[in-house]
Amino acid sequence: MIHTKRLATPYIVWMVLFTVVPLGIVFYYAFTDSITGQFTLENIVRIQSYMPIFIKSIWLALISTLVCLIIGYPVAYYIAQCPPSRQRLLYLLVMLPMCISFLLRTMAWVSLLDDTGIINRFIQAMGMKPLPLIRNNGAVVLGMVYNYLPYMILPLYSVILKIDSRLIEAAQDLGCNSPQVFTKVIFPLSMPGVISGFTMVFVPAVSTFYISQKLGSSGTTLIGDVIESQFKAAYNPNLGAALSLILMVLVFICIGITRRVSGTEEVAMP
């Protein structure tokens, strides 16, 4: 009889090859000199000059994540309340944009928001001046929300769907109105989906670079753009690895704070 622990061997090998080894390479380059290859903290020290970009990246990612939560929660709740046949259709519609290339989806927004794009041409046809819809923070947040919104809806839908309807009925029998049922029963029970959605949206949003390049400007440079430039234009992989390492640490800190805050909340029953 095959020992059950052996079944985890493929997963362990996969994690070592594609997680542990790459992280080890990042650590090596982050703490070595690009010329001599000797140990140094210079790359870590140089990160101080990029802290404003770090802060801006985290800020825009948080805004995008919160917008996704505000939009995605009602959508997920509505889908979960529909009959099974309609749920499958709506679930498919949510996933459908993910079947299109990420680059094409972003470029579609460029065509819509550009100074000579579809929206501004329509505005000019009405006799008004074109609006600055692109190359700003708002356009970058819009691109993030559009691309990452399904990652918020899907985990929320999965968790809300599993909430026992008897708990809702019990809260109503005890005199809770609809807002109280939501705040005391539904939302606390759906917190695992909120945390999963937050993680799945925040992590790619804080490290994105293509969205900021196409929808932003030089004033909306994010840390993902800087890291990409270190491996392409400037070709300083040591500094790029150090920036990636600090970004990973900051992401873990933000996620840890979120999980800790959510973990202290108990399900308040009426």
Side-chain angles (χ1 to χ4, degrees):
M1 182 177 179
I2 300 177
H3 199 278
T4 54
K5 290 185 178 180
R6 295 181 182 178
L7 298 176
T9 301
Y11 173 76
I12 295 173
V13 173
W14 177 275
M15 291 296 294
V16 170
L17 291 177
F18 297 104
T19 301
V20 178
V21 173
L23 284 177
I25 296 174
V26 170
F27 272 92
Y28 171 77
Y29 276 95
F31 292 100
T32 54
D33 183 75
S34 59
I35 299 176
T36 63
Q38 296 181 350
F39 175 81
T40 180
L41 294 177
E42 181 182 357
N43 298 318
I44 303 298
V45 173
R46 291 180 60 185
I47 291 176
Q48 295 179 1
S49 59
Y50 295 99
M51 287 310 297
I53 300 179
F54 271 109
I55 295 173
K56 186 170 189 177
S57 301
I58 293 175
W59 175 244
L60 292 182
L62 285 174
I63 293 176
S64 303
T65 305
L66 291 176
V67 173
C68 285
L69 177 61
I70 293 173
I71 297 175
Y73 199 102
V75 174
Y77 184 80
Y78 174 77
I79 296 176
Q81 303 306 311
C82 291
S85 58
R86 187 177 298 179
Q87 285 184 23
R88 289 190 290 268
L89 174 61
L90 296 177
Y91 188 89
L92 177 63
L93 293 178
V94 171
M95 294 187 62
L96 191 60
M98 300 171 65
C99 300
I100 304 173
S101 170
F102 178 87
L103 306 182
L104 291 178
R105 282 182 280 151
T106 305
M107 289 303 299
W109 276 107
V110 175
S111 301
L112 288 171
L113 303 177
D114 201 9
D115 295 336
T116 57
I118 297 174
I119 296 178
N120 269 323
R121 277 189 289 177
F122 177 76
I123 292 175
Q124 288 178 309
M126 297 178 64
M128 297 183 291
K129 294 182 179 180
L131 299 175
L133 302 176
I134 201 170
R135 290 182 289 277
N136 52 54
N137 292 339
V140 174
V141 171
L142 176 62
M144 291 181 183
V145 171
Y146 173 76
N147 281 290
Y148 302 134
L149 182 60
Y151 299 127
M152 179 65 74
I153 295 176
L154 298 182
L156 282 171
Y157 161 75
S158 299
V159 173
I160 295 175
L161 186 64
K162 297 177 182 178
I163 295 178
D164 194 340
S165 60
R166 291 175 297 179
L167 296 175
I168 300 175
E169 294 174 358
Q172 293 172 341
D173 291 341
L174 292 173
C176 286
N177 53 31
S178 296
Q180 290 174 329
V181 170
F182 176 77
T183 57
K184 295 185 178 183
V185 179
I186 297 176
F187 187 76
L189 291 176
S190 63
M191 188 56 68
V194 174
I195 300 303
S196 297
F198 180 93
T199 304
M200 295 177 65
V201 173
F202 178 78
V203 171
V206 76
S207 58
T208 188
F209 58 92
Y210 189 78
I211 295 175
S212 54
Q213 289 177 0
K214 295 302 179 181
L215 299 178
S217 63
S218 58
T220 54
T221 300
L222 303 182
I223 194 60
D225 302 311
V226 178
I227 293 174
E228 185 202 24
S229 68
Q230 298 303 319
F231 286 95
K232 288 187 176 181
Y235 193 70
N236 189 349
N238 299 77
L239 180 58
L243 291 169
S244 301
L245 180 61
I246 298 302
L247 177 61
M248 181 178 63
V249 172
L250 291 176
V251 168
F252 283 156
I253 291 174
C254 292
I255 294 175
I257 292 174
T258 304
R259 290 181 179 275
R260 186 175 182 84
V261 170
S262 65
T264 58
E265 294 182 4
E266 298 180 355
V267 178
M269 296 300 295

Short mmCIF file of all heavy atoms in Angstrom, two decimals, residues 69 73 151-160 162-163 185-200 258-259 262-263 265-267:
data_model
loop_
_atom_site.label_atom_id
_atom_site.label_comp_id
_atom_site.label_asym_id
_atom_site.label_seq_id
_atom_site.Cartn_x
_atom_site.Cartn_y
_atom_site.Cartn_z
N LEU A 69 -14.07 45.11 -4.43
CA LEU A 69 -14.90 44.56 -3.37
C LEU A 69 -16.29 45.19 -3.38
O LEU A 69 -17.30 44.48 -3.26
CB LEU A 69 -14.24 44.76 -2.01
CG LEU A 69 -15.02 44.29 -0.78
CD1 LEU A 69 -15.28 42.79 -0.86
CD2 LEU A 69 -14.27 44.63 0.50
N TYR A 73 -18.93 42.35 -4.52
CA TYR A 73 -19.74 41.69 -3.49
C TYR A 73 -21.22 41.62 -3.89
O TYR A 73 -21.82 40.54 -3.81
CB TYR A 73 -19.58 42.40 -2.14
CG TYR A 73 -20.00 41.54 -0.97
CD1 TYR A 73 -19.06 40.90 -0.18
CD2 TYR A 73 -21.35 41.33 -0.68
CE1 TYR A 73 -19.44 40.09 0.89
CE2 TYR A 73 -21.74 40.53 0.37
CZ TYR A 73 -20.78 39.92 1.15
OH TYR A 73 -21.17 39.11 2.18
N TYR A 151 -11.46 38.12 -10.20
CA TYR A 151 -10.75 37.46 -9.10
C TYR A 151 -11.36 37.80 -7.74
O TYR A 151 -11.09 37.10 -6.76
CB TYR A 151 -9.28 37.87 -9.10
CG TYR A 151 -8.54 37.50 -10.36
CD1 TYR A 151 -7.82 38.44 -11.09
CD2 TYR A 151 -8.58 36.20 -10.85
CE1 TYR A 151 -7.15 38.10 -12.24
CE2 TYR A 151 -7.91 35.84 -12.00
CZ TYR A 151 -7.19 36.79 -12.70
OH TYR A 151 -6.54 36.45 -13.84
N MET A 152 -12.15 38.83 -7.68
CA MET A 152 -12.88 39.17 -6.46
C MET A 152 -14.24 38.47 -6.44
O MET A 152 -14.68 37.97 -5.40
CB MET A 152 -13.06 40.68 -6.35
CG MET A 152 -13.83 41.15 -5.12
SD MET A 152 -12.99 40.82 -3.57
CE MET A 152 -11.69 42.06 -3.63
N ILE A 153 -14.91 38.44 -7.58
CA ILE A 153 -16.26 37.89 -7.63
C ILE A 153 -16.27 36.39 -7.38
O ILE A 153 -17.11 35.88 -6.61
CB ILE A 153 -16.92 38.22 -8.99
CG1 ILE A 153 -17.11 39.73 -9.14
CG2 ILE A 153 -18.26 37.50 -9.12
CD1 ILE A 153 -17.68 40.14 -10.48
N LEU A 154 -15.37 35.67 -8.00
CA LEU A 154 -15.42 34.20 -7.95
C LEU A 154 -15.24 33.63 -6.55
O LEU A 154 -16.03 32.77 -6.13
CB LEU A 154 -14.38 33.62 -8.92
CG LEU A 154 -14.60 33.98 -10.40
CD1 LEU A 154 -13.56 33.31 -11.28
CD2 LEU A 154 -16.00 33.60 -10.84
N PRO A 155 -14.23 34.05 -5.76
CA PRO A 155 -14.15 33.50 -4.39
C PRO A 155 -15.30 33.94 -3.51
O PRO A 155 -15.76 33.18 -2.65
CB PRO A 155 -12.81 34.03 -3.88
CG PRO A 155 -12.48 35.19 -4.74
CD PRO A 155 -13.07 34.90 -6.07
N LEU A 156 -15.79 35.17 -3.69
CA LEU A 156 -16.94 35.62 -2.92
C LEU A 156 -18.17 34.78 -3.24
O LEU A 156 -18.92 34.37 -2.34
CB LEU A 156 -17.23 37.10 -3.21
CG LEU A 156 -16.33 38.12 -2.53
CD1 LEU A 156 -16.60 39.52 -3.09
CD2 LEU A 156 -16.54 38.11 -1.03
N TYR A 157 -18.39 34.52 -4.51
CA TYR A 157 -19.53 33.71 -4.92
C TYR A 157 -19.46 32.31 -4.32
O TYR A 157 -20.45 31.77 -3.81
CB TYR A 157 -19.58 33.63 -6.45
CG TYR A 157 -20.40 32.48 -6.98
CD1 TYR A 157 -21.79 32.51 -6.96
CD2 TYR A 157 -19.77 31.36 -7.52
CE1 TYR A 157 -22.54 31.45 -7.44
CE2 TYR A 157 -20.51 30.31 -8.01
CZ TYR A 157 -21.89 30.35 -7.98
OH TYR A 157 -22.63 29.31 -8.45
N SER A 158 -18.26 31.71 -4.34
CA SER A 158 -18.10 30.36 -3.81
C SER A 158 -18.42 30.29 -2.32
O SER A 158 -19.02 29.32 -1.85
CB SER A 158 -16.67 29.87 -4.06
OG SER A 158 -16.38 29.83 -5.45
N VAL A 159 -18.01 31.32 -1.56
CA VAL A 159 -18.25 31.32 -0.11
C VAL A 159 -19.71 31.65 0.21
O VAL A 159 -20.33 30.99 1.05
CB VAL A 159 -17.30 32.32 0.58
CG1 VAL A 159 -17.65 32.46 2.05
CG2 VAL A 159 -15.85 31.85 0.43
N ILE A 160 -20.25 32.65 -0.44
CA ILE A 160 -21.65 33.05 -0.18
C ILE A 160 -22.60 31.92 -0.52
O ILE A 160 -23.61 31.70 0.16
CB ILE A 160 -22.00 34.33 -0.97
CG1 ILE A 160 -21.16 35.51 -0.47
CG2 ILE A 160 -23.48 34.66 -0.85
CD1 ILE A 160 -21.34 36.78 -1.27
N LYS A 162 -22.24 28.85 -0.08
CA LYS A 162 -22.22 27.81 0.94
C LYS A 162 -22.80 28.24 2.27
O LYS A 162 -22.85 27.45 3.21
CB LYS A 162 -20.78 27.33 1.14
CG LYS A 162 -20.16 26.70 -0.10
CD LYS A 162 -18.71 26.32 0.14
CE LYS A 162 -18.09 25.73 -1.13
NZ LYS A 162 -16.66 25.40 -0.94
N ILE A 163 -23.21 29.51 2.39
CA ILE A 163 -23.81 29.97 3.64
C ILE A 163 -25.15 29.27 3.86
O ILE A 163 -26.01 29.24 2.98
CB ILE A 163 -24.01 31.50 3.62
CG1 ILE A 163 -22.65 32.21 3.56
CG2 ILE A 163 -24.78 31.96 4.85
CD1 ILE A 163 -22.75 33.72 3.49
N VAL A 185 -24.74 38.36 9.99
CA VAL A 185 -24.70 36.97 9.58
C VAL A 185 -23.97 36.80 8.25
O VAL A 185 -22.93 36.12 8.17
CB VAL A 185 -26.13 36.39 9.46
CG1 VAL A 185 -26.08 34.91 9.00
CG2 VAL A 185 -26.85 36.50 10.78
N ILE A 186 -24.49 37.42 7.19
CA ILE A 186 -23.98 37.14 5.85
C ILE A 186 -22.54 37.61 5.68
O ILE A 186 -21.66 36.84 5.26
CB ILE A 186 -24.89 37.80 4.78
CG1 ILE A 186 -26.30 37.19 4.86
CG2 ILE A 186 -24.31 37.60 3.39
CD1 ILE A 186 -27.29 37.84 3.93
N PHE A 187 -22.28 38.88 6.01
CA PHE A 187 -20.93 39.41 5.78
C PHE A 187 -19.88 38.72 6.63
O PHE A 187 -18.81 38.35 6.12
CB PHE A 187 -20.91 40.92 6.01
CG PHE A 187 -19.61 41.56 5.62
CD1 PHE A 187 -19.30 41.77 4.28
CD2 PHE A 187 -18.69 41.93 6.58
CE1 PHE A 187 -18.10 42.34 3.91
CE2 PHE A 187 -17.48 42.51 6.22
CZ PHE A 187 -17.19 42.72 4.88
N PRO A 188 -20.11 38.50 7.94
CA PRO A 188 -19.10 37.77 8.72
C PRO A 188 -18.82 36.37 8.19
O PRO A 188 -17.67 35.92 8.17
CB PRO A 188 -19.70 37.72 10.12
CG PRO A 188 -20.60 38.90 10.19
CD PRO A 188 -21.19 39.03 8.83
N LEU A 189 -19.87 35.67 7.76
CA LEU A 189 -19.68 34.32 7.23
C LEU A 189 -18.98 34.32 5.87
O LEU A 189 -18.37 33.32 5.49
CB LEU A 189 -21.02 33.60 7.13
CG LEU A 189 -21.70 33.24 8.46
CD1 LEU A 189 -23.06 32.61 8.21
CD2 LEU A 189 -20.81 32.29 9.27
N SER A 190 -19.08 35.42 5.14
CA SER A 190 -18.43 35.51 3.83
C SER A 190 -17.03 36.10 3.92
O SER A 190 -16.39 36.31 2.88
CB SER A 190 -19.28 36.37 2.89
OG SER A 190 -19.38 37.71 3.37
N MET A 191 -16.54 36.36 5.14
CA MET A 191 -15.22 36.96 5.30
C MET A 191 -14.09 36.15 4.66
O MET A 191 -13.15 36.73 4.11
CB MET A 191 -14.94 37.20 6.79
CG MET A 191 -13.68 38.00 7.04
SD MET A 191 -13.64 39.60 6.21
CE MET A 191 -14.94 40.46 7.11
N PRO A 192 -14.10 34.81 4.71
CA PRO A 192 -13.05 34.07 3.99
C PRO A 192 -13.00 34.40 2.50
O PRO A 192 -11.91 34.48 1.92
CB PRO A 192 -13.44 32.60 4.23
CG PRO A 192 -14.20 32.62 5.51
CD PRO A 192 -14.95 33.91 5.52
N GLY A 193 -14.16 34.60 1.88
CA GLY A 193 -14.19 35.00 0.48
C GLY A 193 -13.66 36.40 0.27
O GLY A 193 -12.99 36.68 -0.74
N VAL A 194 -13.95 37.29 1.23
CA VAL A 194 -13.43 38.66 1.15
C VAL A 194 -11.92 38.65 1.20
O VAL A 194 -11.23 39.33 0.42
CB VAL A 194 -14.02 39.53 2.28
CG1 VAL A 194 -13.36 40.90 2.29
CG2 VAL A 194 -15.53 39.66 2.11
N ILE A 195 -11.35 37.87 2.13
CA ILE A 195 -9.90 37.80 2.27
C ILE A 195 -9.26 37.18 1.04
O ILE A 195 -8.24 37.65 0.54
CB ILE A 195 -9.52 37.02 3.54
CG1 ILE A 195 -10.12 37.70 4.77
CG2 ILE A 195 -8.01 36.91 3.66
CD1 ILE A 195 -9.70 39.14 4.94
N SER A 196 -9.86 36.10 0.53
CA SER A 196 -9.33 35.46 -0.68
C SER A 196 -9.38 36.42 -1.87
O SER A 196 -8.42 36.52 -2.63
CB SER A 196 -10.11 34.19 -1.00
OG SER A 196 -9.98 33.25 0.04
N GLY A 197 -10.52 37.11 -2.03
CA GLY A 197 -10.64 38.08 -3.11
C GLY A 197 -9.67 39.23 -2.97
O GLY A 197 -9.06 39.67 -3.95
N PHE A 198 -9.50 39.71 -1.73
CA PHE A 198 -8.54 40.79 -1.48
C PHE A 198 -7.14 40.36 -1.90
O PHE A 198 -6.42 41.11 -2.57
CB PHE A 198 -8.56 41.16 0.00
CG PHE A 198 -7.62 42.27 0.37
CD1 PHE A 198 -8.05 43.58 0.38
CD2 PHE A 198 -6.29 42.00 0.69
CE1 PHE A 198 -7.19 44.61 0.71
CE2 PHE A 198 -5.42 43.02 1.02
CZ PHE A 198 -5.87 44.33 1.03
N THR A 199 -6.75 39.15 -1.52
CA THR A 199 -5.41 38.66 -1.85
C THR A 199 -5.24 38.50 -3.36
O THR A 199 -4.22 38.91 -3.93
CB THR A 199 -5.14 37.32 -1.15
OG1 THR A 199 -5.33 37.49 0.25
CG2 THR A 199 -3.74 36.84 -1.43
N MET A 200 -6.23 37.92 -4.01
CA MET A 200 -6.13 37.63 -5.43
C MET A 200 -6.14 38.89 -6.29
O MET A 200 -5.65 38.87 -7.42
CB MET A 200 -7.27 36.69 -5.85
CG MET A 200 -7.19 35.32 -5.23
SD MET A 200 -8.58 34.25 -5.67
CE MET A 200 -8.32 34.07 -7.43
N THR A 258 -4.26 42.24 6.93
CA THR A 258 -5.66 42.00 6.56
C THR A 258 -6.20 40.73 7.20
O THR A 258 -7.31 40.70 7.73
CB THR A 258 -5.78 41.90 5.02
OG1 THR A 258 -5.25 43.07 4.42
CG2 THR A 258 -7.24 41.74 4.62
N ARG A 259 -5.41 39.66 7.16
CA ARG A 259 -5.86 38.41 7.75
C ARG A 259 -5.98 38.51 9.26
O ARG A 259 -6.87 37.92 9.88
CB ARG A 259 -4.90 37.28 7.37
CG ARG A 259 -4.96 36.89 5.91
CD ARG A 259 -4.00 35.75 5.59
NE ARG A 259 -4.07 35.37 4.20
CZ ARG A 259 -4.94 34.51 3.69
NH1 ARG A 259 -5.83 33.95 4.49
NH2 ARG A 259 -4.94 34.22 2.41
N SER A 262 -9.17 40.46 10.02
CA SER A 262 -10.37 39.64 9.79
C SER A 262 -10.47 38.50 10.78
O SER A 262 -11.56 38.08 11.16
CB SER A 262 -10.32 39.06 8.36
OG SER A 262 -9.23 38.17 8.23
N GLY A 263 -9.32 38.00 11.24
CA GLY A 263 -9.34 36.89 12.18
C GLY A 263 -9.83 37.27 13.54
O GLY A 263 -10.30 36.43 14.30
N GLU A 265 -12.33 39.22 14.05
CA GLU A 265 -13.77 39.47 13.99
C GLU A 265 -14.51 38.17 14.18
O GLU A 265 -14.32 37.20 13.47
CB GLU A 265 -14.14 40.10 12.65
CG GLU A 265 -13.54 41.49 12.46
CD GLU A 265 -13.98 42.07 11.12
OE1 GLU A 265 -14.77 41.41 10.43
OE2 GLU A 265 -13.57 43.18 10.79
N GLU A 266 -15.36 38.13 15.13
CA GLU A 266 -16.17 36.95 15.37
C GLU A 266 -17.50 37.10 14.67
O GLU A 266 -17.98 38.22 14.42
CB GLU A 266 -16.40 36.75 16.87
CG GLU A 266 -15.08 36.53 17.64
CD GLU A 266 -15.32 36.33 19.11
OE1 GLU A 266 -16.50 36.46 19.51
OE2 GLU A 266 -14.38 36.07 19.84
N VAL A 267 -18.09 35.98 14.37
CA VAL A 267 -19.40 36.01 13.73
C VAL A 267 -20.43 36.41 14.78
O VAL A 267 -20.74 35.65 15.69
CB VAL A 267 -19.75 34.64 13.13
CG1 VAL A 267 -21.12 34.67 12.52
CG2 VAL A 267 -18.69 34.23 12.11
#
